[in-house]
Amino acid sequence: MTSAHSHHSLPTRRLGATGPQVSALGLGCMGMSALYGESDRAESIATIHAALDAGVTLLDTGDFYGMGHNELLINEALRTAPAVAREQALTSVKFGALRTVEGGFTGYDGRPAAVKNFAAYSLQRLGTDHIDIYRIARVDPDVPIEETVGAIAELVEAGHVRHIGLSEVGADTLRRAAAVAPISDLQIEYSLISRGIEEKILPTARELGIGVTAYGVLSRGLISGHFTRDRELSPGDFRGMSPRFQGDNLHRNLDLVDQLRTLAEAKGVTVAQTAIAWVLAQAARQGADIVPLVGARRRDRLTEALGALDVTLDDADLAAIERAVPAGAAAGERYPAAQMAHLDSEH
């Protein structure tokens, strides 16, 4: 256990015009509970503690990550962290995904009564009296976004939620939601090889004063520099079904990583640090507040990711990176077709 006085601080960014001040990098906790095969509970908690100690204040989760397992894990990590770190931690929670006992996904529920039900369970599992940012994971096609956001606004009014977020929505839905209540941030995939938001979604978020929390900044490890061509994925690792990790797609994508590696090595940094630093640099360039979420499940990966904050990419560096990995260069979609269909952001 680290003592309270060893607590550090990181640069911070405000999430949009109305959102909270958060660390410039957030920790995405999903992989500690689900979808990447086996995880190590003790190492997961140690990683959350190390993140808090380093000054990371934003912890991102979903109530459906391991069917509540992830929220309970965060609860345990916060309970056993020094008070100063615990008090600065902010929880960002996604809700709405419907699951089966076997682990399947069967849709999304954004009805107001369901929103309040999901929140009640999350508050209990997290062991807290409020959720800092609350968002539906995917738009429920059967419920207008105005109704879902309106229900979260009622939770804000009641003091159970502090800020309203969105996830994977397109520009039109973003406008409709923002007309109902202030939106702090849009959580959406954004990386060197997933740049679809640049055309319409990012400019709209900026116009509306909505921040962006970018997940998938290493494209699920694909552009981390640690993924090898001969890697065998463990059972339960959803990358086994991801188009970008299949056959020729994988080889073409890892060719891009090899080009990125050459640039990273010339700067004396790692591939992952270069990819994260590129996203951080877009925040400065785009004039939008973008906070990358890193999905580190181990302390060594966390330390590497935090090192990206010390990487400075000038215009020449950024131009070289974009020549090595041009927009649209990735082979394969970011999700299997059935999941792509759930993405309002892709329609």
Side-chain angles (χ1 to χ4, degrees):
M1 179 83 70
T2 39
S3 60
H5 58 73
S6 69
H7 186 69
H8 302 91
S9 63
L10 293 177
T12 61
R13 292 182 174 171
R14 181 171 292 287
L15 281 182
T18 62
Q21 199 79 16
V22 299
S23 51
L25 273 183
L27 182 65
C29 300
M30 178 186 83
M32 296 176 179
S33 296
L35 299 172
Y36 288 106
E38 284 299 306
S39 57
D40 178 329
R41 187 181 188 85
E43 182 59 27
S44 295
I45 288 172
T47 302
I48 295 173
H49 284 169
L52 294 170
D53 188 55
V56 172
T57 62
L58 182 63
L59 301 178
D60 183 76
T61 185
D63 63 10
F64 51 93
Y65 293 166
M67 291 67 159
H69 179 279
N70 206 239
E71 290 178 321
L72 292 167
L73 187 78
I74 289 172
N75 178 341
E76 186 178 341
L78 290 175
R79 249 195 356 259
T80 53
V84 63
R86 184 168 60 246
E87 283 153 18
Q88 290 180 353
L90 301 172
T91 50
S92 164
V93 179
K94 286 179 293 302
F95 68 87
L98 303 175
R99 305 293 306 270
T100 65
V101 176
E102 293 74 27
F105 286 83
T106 57
Y108 297 89
D109 192 345
R111 294 171 302 138
V115 173
K116 293 173 181 178
N117 176 71
F118 286 129
Y121 280 73
S122 281
L123 288 166
Q124 179 67 31
R125 283 187 294 256
L126 288 163
T128 180
D129 63 356
H130 72 275
I131 293 163
D132 293 288
I133 313 168
Y134 201 47
R135 67 186 91 239
I136 191 163
R138 300 286 185 268
V139 175
D140 178 346
D142 299 324
V143 178
I145 194 67
E146 291 85 351
E147 291 183 22
T148 303
V149 168
I152 307 175
E154 289 175 12
L155 290 169
V156 172
E157 189 84 3
H160 304 311
V161 168
R162 294 272 161 88
H163 302 280
I164 304 170
L166 292 165
S167 175
E168 285 290 354
V169 304
D172 293 347
T173 305
L174 207 52
R175 286 189 194 285
R176 288 169 51 203
V180 175
I183 306 294
S184 71
D185 68 311
L186 166 64
Q187 188 172 118
I188 196 159
E189 185 165 356
Y190 187 44
S191 73
L192 252 177
I193 65 169
S194 294
R195 297 179 58 178
I197 71 169
E198 291 175 349
E199 191 184 341
K200 281 192 190 155
I201 295 173
L202 199 51
T204 303
R206 188 170 66 206
E207 177 201 327
L208 297 170
I210 295 171
V212 169
T213 38
Y215 76 88
V217 292
L218 297 177
S219 204
R220 299 163 186 80
L222 183 58
I223 58 171
S224 67
H226 301 298
F227 205 92
T228 56
R229 292 170 196 274
D230 56 357
R231 178 162 170 186
E232 292 283 326
L233 293 170
S234 60
D237 190 325
F238 83 114
R239 289 174 294 190
M241 297 172 62
S242 169
R244 288 184 177 171
F245 289 85
Q246 307 291 318
D248 287 349
N249 286 354
L250 177 65
H251 291 287
R252 281 165 56 198
N253 292 329
L254 290 178
D255 287 344
L256 297 173
V257 177
D258 289 340
Q259 295 180 62
L260 200 55
R261 192 185 313 275
T262 305
L263 298 175
E265 286 173 354
K267 276 190 78 77
V269 297
T270 70
V271 175
Q273 288 168 341
T274 306
I276 297 165
W278 181 86
V279 178
L280 286 163
Q282 303 316 303
R285 283 166 100 196
Q286 308 274 5
D289 290 313
I290 301 171
V291 174
L293 299 172
V294 295
R297 298 193 292 165
R298 305 191 330 231
R299 286 168 285 183
D300 58 338
R301 294 284 196 256
L302 173 72
T303 301
E304 180 186 20
L306 290 172
L309 291 165
D310 300 321
V311 177
T312 305
L313 299 175
D314 61 23
D315 287 346
D317 292 326
L318 290 166
I321 289 168
E322 295 188 21
R323 277 196 303 275
V325 186
E333 295 279 13
R334 54 199 187 98
Y335 285 103
Q339 285 173 276
M340 288 295 284
H342 288 296
L343 297 177
D344 182 76
S345 53
E346 295 284 343
H347 298 163

